[in-house]
Amino acid sequence: MIEPLAEMRNVERRFRVGGGLFGSGRDLRAVNGVSLTIRSGEALGIVGESGCGKSTLARMLLGLLAPSAGEIFVAGRPVASLGARALARCVQPVFQDPYSSLNPRRTVGAIIAAPLVVHRMGDAAQRRAEVERLMSLVGLPPRLYLSYPGQLSGGQRQRVAIARALIMRPKMVICDEPTSALDVSVQSQILNLLGDLQQTFGLTYILISHNLAVVEHIATRVAVMYLGRIVEENETEALFRTPRHPYTKALLASVLTPEPGLGVPDTGLGLAFPNPLDPPSGCTFHPRCPEAGPRCRASVPRDVRAGEALVTCHLYDGGTSVAA
Ligand code: SF4
């Protein structure tokens, strides 16, 4: 049994939207009752369209957002009880856009060393040696130590972001759309690098993407999100071989889109993504689902589990096997 490194138990996150000075506004339920276990050493892909709640999930695991309900544990402790340094040693982010996530006025060396400085770790010589070691591991030539982000290519900037994430030697790295701002030719280099670094450091990954083809590259398990809920979860190979949920099937069809980065096309999905402030009744996927029936409009499907597989769909709620 592989030990869980992080765990979410029935987590919700609501945002108050609108209302102005006198109105009360409305709740947007970005994450709605998510339970998820992240095991040490695995690479978990979280996939779904923009607005499905996957980035909110990541920000809660990073301690940047508190859940509105439910519990989050990292390394066996409630995330809120971990101090900043302990949390930084457990989990670090790599964000989507290396253009905006790097300070343009700081050198590469200073950016990568920043977490060590913030947490007062090592002296200047030790920090420089560690930065140079990481630059070498992520494929950045030493001559770039004094360069600024504006002098680097997109791929080099993302390598800087990865080195900065690893300098605290975290157990887990959350990569939020790590390749979607990059040229297609560079995307696979960065994914290969992430795979190599996982072996070198024994890392656990959470890889967030709108594109199943990206997570297939390194994820060992995939969770598919739709409007704040996980609607399907399985080992990667099984999910690709036998997708169950109609939304997963549509996402897999979208993998064939000739232009990565454009998001999920409407292939098989019909209507556009619904307004999260006014979600559809019953199964929230029903207005777009080619297999929807009367029950789908009336009642919310429950989670149906079998071993590693989970699917949240009425089609599997009558004894139909969800096992791989
Ligand atoms: Fe489609 Fe119904 Fe399943 Fe929802 S519950 S995914 S609408 S078949």
Side-chain angles (χ1 to χ4, degrees):
M1 183 79 181
I2 304 171
E3 173 194 340
L5 182 55
E7 205 179 345
M8 307 188 100
R9 294 186 193 157
N10 212 13
V11 168
E12 286 184 27
R13 174 66 208 198
R14 297 181 292 272
F15 295 101
R16 203 76 184 148
V17 178
L21 209 50
F22 303 106
S24 56
R26 296 163 76 189
D27 272 344
L28 186 154
R29 224 174 261 255
V31 172
N32 187 7
V34 166
S35 294
L36 200 56
T37 300
I38 297 113
R39 299 174 201 125
S40 198
E42 77 169 334
L44 172 69
I46 301 181
V47 183
E49 286 162 282
S50 173
C52 73
K54 55 193 191 304
S55 293
T56 303
L57 207 68
R59 291 174 69 201
M60 288 193 285
L61 275 168
L62 286 161
L64 301 174
L65 266 181
S68 308
E71 296 173 300
I72 302 177
F73 297 87
V74 173
R77 291 175 54 190
V79 72
S81 76
L82 288 166
R85 182 162 165 173
L87 189 57
R89 294 298 296 261
C90 285
V91 51
Q92 285 284 323
V94 172
F95 290 114
Q96 171 178 5
D97 187 356
Y99 295 85
S100 61
S101 68
L102 305 181
N103 186 335
R105 289 185 292 279
R106 306 199 75 184
T107 62
V108 165
I111 289 168
I112 298 173
L116 296 179
V117 175
V118 167
H119 296 291
R120 296 195 179 91
M121 295 171 69
D123 58 28
Q126 288 168 327
R127 290 198 285 261
R128 175 148 190 158
E130 188 62 8
V131 169
E132 287 175 345
R133 188 177 80 90
L134 273 169
M135 285 179 67
S136 158
L137 278 169
V138 302
L140 288 168
R143 64 181 160 75
L144 296 181
Y145 187 90
L146 291 175
S147 298
Y148 289 87
Q151 298 170 303
L152 307 182
S153 68
Q156 286 173 330
R157 288 182 224 210
Q158 199 57 304
R159 287 171 198 268
V160 172
I162 292 168
R164 179 180 57 182
L166 294 182
I167 199 132
M168 292 293 288
R169 302 191 189 176
K171 295 183 175 73
M172 180 164 75
V173 177
I174 299 182
C175 304
D176 191 353
E177 302 277 10
T179 60
S180 59
L182 303 175
D183 288 346
V184 178
S185 60
V186 183
Q187 290 183 2
S188 61
Q189 291 172 20
I190 295 296
L191 290 172
N192 288 337
L193 173 65
L194 289 171
D196 292 345
L197 293 170
Q198 185 180 28
Q199 300 300 318
T200 305
F201 291 100
L203 293 167
T204 302
Y205 280 138
I206 296 183
L207 182 65
I208 290 172
S209 179
H210 63 268
N211 190 334
L212 267 169
V214 168
V215 303
E216 186 190 19
H217 220 86
I218 50 177
T220 46
R221 200 157 58 94
V222 178
V224 178
M225 279 190 84
Y226 189 78
L227 264 186
R229 288 187 78 186
I230 291 175
V231 295
E232 181 159 8
E233 189 184 324
N234 210 342
E235 288 173 349
T236 306
E237 196 271 326
L239 186 122
F240 274 76
R241 180 169 31 88
T242 320
R244 262 76 181 203
H245 198 282
Y247 181 58
T248 311
K249 292 177 188 171
L251 282 180
L252 275 169
S254 80
V255 164
L256 301 175
T257 182
E259 289 195 63
L262 281 185
V264 180
D266 279 344
T267 318
L269 284 174
L271 301 168
F273 197 70
N275 179 1
L277 271 173
D278 189 19
S281 62
C283 172
T284 54
F285 187 56
H286 85 252
R288 306 169 84 189
C289 180
E291 300 180 57
R295 186 181 172 196
C296 304
R297 292 174 195 85
S299 69
V300 177
R302 66 184 184 95
D303 292 350
V304 181
R305 284 190 182 273
E308 288 297 311
L310 171 144
V311 66
T312 306
C313 171
H314 289 312
L315 295 175
Y316 300 89
D317 201 3
T320 308
S321 174
V322 296

